[in-house]
């Protein structure tokens, strides 16, 4: 089946990739005129695209600056992950932990794609396949309302990775294993087992980043104390 993307969708994809690849960095302003000229598009579809990635949590409008790539705080990330994991656990409860053969095959394919991307240290694709995997979990509930709410928060996962300087923290060697563990529980675990694993899966990331932030603050404090002759 041929799927033709609208101009807005194409622009969204390009902007998202620029942010995810680090070409446009957290806190950097997105100048509409410059981007429109670069992409050879009018301001209309560009602004529509910016509104979409704003809803995804990748950009935000700031006074005196305009549209800038969002820097996500630890508190915002923790809140987003808590809500996302809760929605996914609800989906598991609604489907009774049962997935179709087609869903099983799709999720397994995504785990393998994630492993390949991780081996290549391709963070952009790792996150893409990660989000598609979790979207599959939400879709098991066959609830359009639940899926729509979850999609609103989807960009938070991406924003977390790219605004917290986390590339060195990404566990490329186990990221696919962590997702395989969730899928395996759909085969042989209970609803409670699956929900618990999803909760752990989500909340371990903010914890790792929080600990990393504390280490960085301690290191910065030590540097300042040394400069002040108090180290």
């Amino acid at each position: 089946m041929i799927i033709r993307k609208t101009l807005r969708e194409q622009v969204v994809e390009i902007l998202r990739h620029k942010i995810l690849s680090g070409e446009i960095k957290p806190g950097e302003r997105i100048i509409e005129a410059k981007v429109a000229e670069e992409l050879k598009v009018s301001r209309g579809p560009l602004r529509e695209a910016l509104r979409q990635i704003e809803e995804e949590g990748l950009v935000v409008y700031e006074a005196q600056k305009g549209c800038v790539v969002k820097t996500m705080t630890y508190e915002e990330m923790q809140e987003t992950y808590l809500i996302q994991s809760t929605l996914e656990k609800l989906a598991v409860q609604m489907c009774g932990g049962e997935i179709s053969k087609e869903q099983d095959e799709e999720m397994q394919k995504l785990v393998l794609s994630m492993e390949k991307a991780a081996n290549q240290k391709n963070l952009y694709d790792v996150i893409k396949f990660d989000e598609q995997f979790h979207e599959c979990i939400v879709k098991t509930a066959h609830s359009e309302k639940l899926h729509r709410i979850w999609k609103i928060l989807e960009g938070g996962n991406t924003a977390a990775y790219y605004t917290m300087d986390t590339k060195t923290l990404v566990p490329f060697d186990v990221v696919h294993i962590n997702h395989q563990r969730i899928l395996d529980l759909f085969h042989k675990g209970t609803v409670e087992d699956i929900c618990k694993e999803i909760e752990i899966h989500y909340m371990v990331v903010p914890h790792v980043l929080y600990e990393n932030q504390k280490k960085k603050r301690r290191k910065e404090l030590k540097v300042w104390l040394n400069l002040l002759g108090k180290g």
Side-chain angles (χ1 to χ4, degrees):
M1 181 175 63
I2 298 176
I3 301 177
R4 300 185 185 280
K5 295 183 178 179
T6 64
L7 182 57
R8 176 188 59 78
E9 290 171 331
Q10 293 177 56
V11 175
V12 165
E13 195 168 285
I14 292 171
L15 289 174
R16 190 187 288 128
H17 189 275
K18 284 179 178 291
I19 294 171
L20 302 189
S21 65
E23 185 177 337
I24 307 177
K25 302 186 182 301
E28 185 174 337
R29 180 186 172 198
I30 296 179
I31 304 173
E32 288 187 16
K34 181 180 177 181
V35 176
E37 182 180 356
E38 178 188 343
L39 301 182
K40 301 293 189 294
V41 298
S42 65
R43 295 288 187 91
L46 174 58
R47 285 172 178 165
E48 289 177 2
L50 287 172
R51 277 196 293 271
Q52 180 172 331
I53 62 174
E54 181 185 14
E55 290 177 359
E56 293 177 2
L58 293 178
V59 299
V60 64
Y61 280 89
E62 294 183 359
Q64 311 301 322
K65 295 183 71 174
C67 185
V68 298
V69 178
K70 184 174 181 179
T71 298
M72 192 179 229
T73 66
Y74 164 74
E75 290 75 19
E76 287 174 323
M77 180 175 56
Q78 187 179 45
E79 180 183 46
T80 298
Y81 278 0
L82 176 60
I83 296 172
Q84 278 188 298
S85 62
T86 300
L87 292 174
E88 288 179 32
K89 288 190 293 182
L90 177 58
V92 172
Q93 292 165 354
M94 290 173 70
C95 74
E98 299 289 334
I99 56 175
S100 68
K101 180 182 178 182
E102 291 73 23
Q103 289 170 327
D104 187 13
E105 291 175 349
E106 177 64 19
M107 291 168 77
Q108 189 62 68
K109 187 187 302 181
L110 288 167
V111 170
L112 294 174
S113 297
M114 206 181 302
E115 180 179 14
K116 181 179 179 180
N119 288 337
Q120 297 171 344
K121 299 292 191 294
N122 186 335
L123 187 53
Y124 177 82
D125 280 351
V126 166
I127 294 175
K128 178 177 68 176
F129 296 132
D130 174 286
E131 291 178 344
Q132 290 175 5
F133 180 91
H134 287 280
E135 185 171 10
C136 284
I137 295 177
V138 176
K139 286 182 175 180
T140 62
H142 300 288
S143 169
E144 187 58 39
K145 288 183 179 179
L146 181 61
H147 181 242
R148 190 160 58 244
I149 295 170
W150 184 88
K151 286 293 284 185
I152 293 173
L153 298 166
E154 185 180 27
N157 185 44
T158 302
Y161 276 110
Y162 282 89
T163 63
M164 303 289 283
D165 189 24
T166 61
K167 191 164 185 178
T168 57
L169 299 178
V170 177
F172 286 111
D173 54 336
V174 298
V175 64
H176 68 285
I177 297 175
N178 293 338
H179 289 80
Q180 184 68 57
R181 187 178 297 120
I182 294 175
L183 181 56
D184 288 344
L185 287 173
F186 273 102
H187 300 155
K188 58 185 180 183
T190 64
V191 169
E192 290 73 21
D193 292 335
I194 302 169
C195 289
K196 185 62 178 178
E197 190 61 37
I198 289 173
E199 183 179 332
I200 294 171
H201 180 89
Y202 265 101
M203 301 317 294
V204 73
V205 177
H207 176 72
V208 169
L209 294 175
Y210 179 68
E211 291 301 318
N212 184 62
Q213 281 186 313
K214 285 205 302 185
K215 287 179 182 178
K216 287 175 69 175
R217 284 195 292 267
R218 284 198 295 266
K219 188 178 293 185
E220 290 169 356
L221 178 60
K222 188 174 182 180
V223 170
W224 276 107
L225 289 174
N226 286 336
L227 288 173
L228 294 169
K230 298 180 180 180

